[in-house]
Amino acid sequence: MAEGRTRIGIVAPGSAIERDVAERVMALAARLYPDGRVELVFHPQCFETWGHFAGSDEVRLAALAQFANDDSLDAIWFARGGYGACRLIEGLLPLLGEGARHKTYMGYSDAGSLLGTLYGRGFTRLAHGPMPVDIIRAGGEAAVARALAFLVERRPEALEPSLSLEVPSAAFNLTILCHLLGTPWLPDLAGHVLMVEEVSEYMYRIDRDLFQLTGNPALRRVAGLKLGRCSDIPPNRPDFGQGEEEVARSWCRRTGIAYLGRADIGHDVGNKVVPFGLWRV
């Protein structure tokens, strides 16, 4: 880190962002930190397109490895979600040098596959939290400001309020976490408060994913489950008859996992920051 300055590298492991997003985020950072204590570095790869992705797998992998190993950067901030991060895991790990371990990494949604993998490999500065693309949501400046407050200042008000100093936590999109099950990339979450959130999935799919999650022997060793917001649930025909919390409570009860209530995370501007492991200033 330069004297008094935090340099944050931004890459897109999944889908691309528009240049306007980068301009709006940089303008907000300049307003919040007029003293120049934060510098945002958007990798040009963020704006590339290759079908669904922000560049080919090789292009996205090279950009992520470059920034992860860049000792002038203090943090890696994933530009947005969008499917694609999981396609980089196997190629990325051999490319990461020791310097990559000393950065903070933050994102959510599909980026959770990378966060979970790195956590399982001993990386300690990882967080589920807002991303630059959130600025396009109504009220999204608040989400981006919260992310910067964490990345630059480690301000505790940016954090999910139920975090404990004694019990480690981890947070994921529910579908992404389920897709890590049965792979070498699932981290050991024994003893953790596990928080999950979801977006744009039918209730029967949320139910199915919670069955898979709570049925996994490794995840039955968590300290408990907290349910974040499940937003934009499409209507079921016929009506499913149960809401997400009723379903979560039911699966926890059946499998002996402690249900710990709601978590203040989700695919929305209210999404709070959840560091992986124990919160450290």
Side-chain angles (χ1 to χ4, degrees):
M1 181 186 297
E3 184 68 28
R5 171 176 286 196
T6 301
R7 298 190 78 235
I8 302 171
I10 300 162
V11 294
S15 301
I17 60 170
E18 300 292 332
R19 292 187 182 274
D20 175 66
V21 170
E23 291 167 2
R24 291 172 62 183
V25 171
M26 287 191 290
L28 176 61
R31 293 200 305 272
L32 293 172
Y33 301 97
D35 58 359
R37 64 184 295 192
V38 59
E39 179 183 358
L40 302 182
V41 184
F42 282 84
H43 197 290
Q45 168 270 327
C46 291
F47 315 112
E48 293 198 23
T49 56
W50 187 76
H52 172 90
F53 307 103
S56 66
D57 290 352
E58 293 76 16
V59 165
R60 301 193 325 281
L61 175 61
L64 180 52
Q66 177 192 345
F67 269 20
N69 290 320
D70 185 339
D71 290 336
S72 75
L73 297 172
D74 303 294
I76 302 298
W77 195 13
F78 298 122
R80 66 169 299 170
Y83 173 70
C86 65
R87 295 166 65 119
L88 308 184
I89 292 172
E90 202 135 16
L92 177 67
L93 293 176
L95 301 179
L96 297 181
E98 184 60 30
R101 292 182 172 271
H102 304 303
K103 292 179 174 60
T104 301
Y105 297 78
M106 188 164 75
Y108 70 103
S109 192
D110 194 71
S113 59
L114 287 171
L115 295 173
T117 296
L118 294 177
Y119 190 53
R121 266 69 190 164
F123 284 60
T124 59
R125 300 178 182 180
L126 307 159
H128 177 284
M131 298 182 288
V133 76
D134 285 316
I135 204 165
I136 68 175
R137 301 180 188 271
E141 284 197 356
V144 174
R146 184 182 311 116
L148 289 170
F150 173 77
L151 290 171
V152 179
E153 304 174 73
R154 295 295 191 266
R155 285 166 56 180
E157 56 265 37
L159 301 174
E160 204 283 334
S162 70
L163 291 175
S164 167
L165 293 174
E166 290 80 34
V167 181
S169 296
F172 291 89
N173 171 265
L174 175 60
T175 297
I176 296 303
L177 181 55
C178 284
H179 288 176
L180 290 177
L181 299 178
T183 74
W185 320 126
L186 178 70
D188 182 3
L189 298 175
H192 288 60
V193 172
L194 174 61
M195 305 183 193
V196 295
E197 52 81 23
E198 193 53 270
V199 63
S200 301
E201 293 286 1
Y202 286 95
M203 270 307 312
Y204 74 84
R205 290 181 179 169
I206 294 173
D207 184 60
R208 179 192 291 158
D209 283 348
L210 285 167
F211 152 70
Q212 183 182 17
L213 191 72
T214 60
N216 184 277
L219 292 188
R220 289 191 179 182
R221 297 185 290 121
V222 299
L225 179 75
K226 291 182 72 73
L227 182 66
R229 287 178 289 280
C230 298
S231 55
D232 299 329
I233 300 174
N236 201 77
R237 301 286 188 273
D239 184 70
F240 190 74
Q242 293 177 294
E244 68 269 21
E245 185 164 22
E246 189 176 358
V247 165
R249 286 181 180 275
S250 174
W251 283 114
C252 284
R253 184 171 56 251
R254 296 183 198 195
T255 57
I257 295 173
Y259 179 73
L260 302 177
R262 303 306 295 254
D264 195 4
I265 61 171
H267 272 65
D268 53 42
V269 298
N271 189 25
K272 301 300 190 300
V273 176
V274 179
F276 280 59
L278 289 172
W279 160 240
R280 300 176 182 86
V281 176

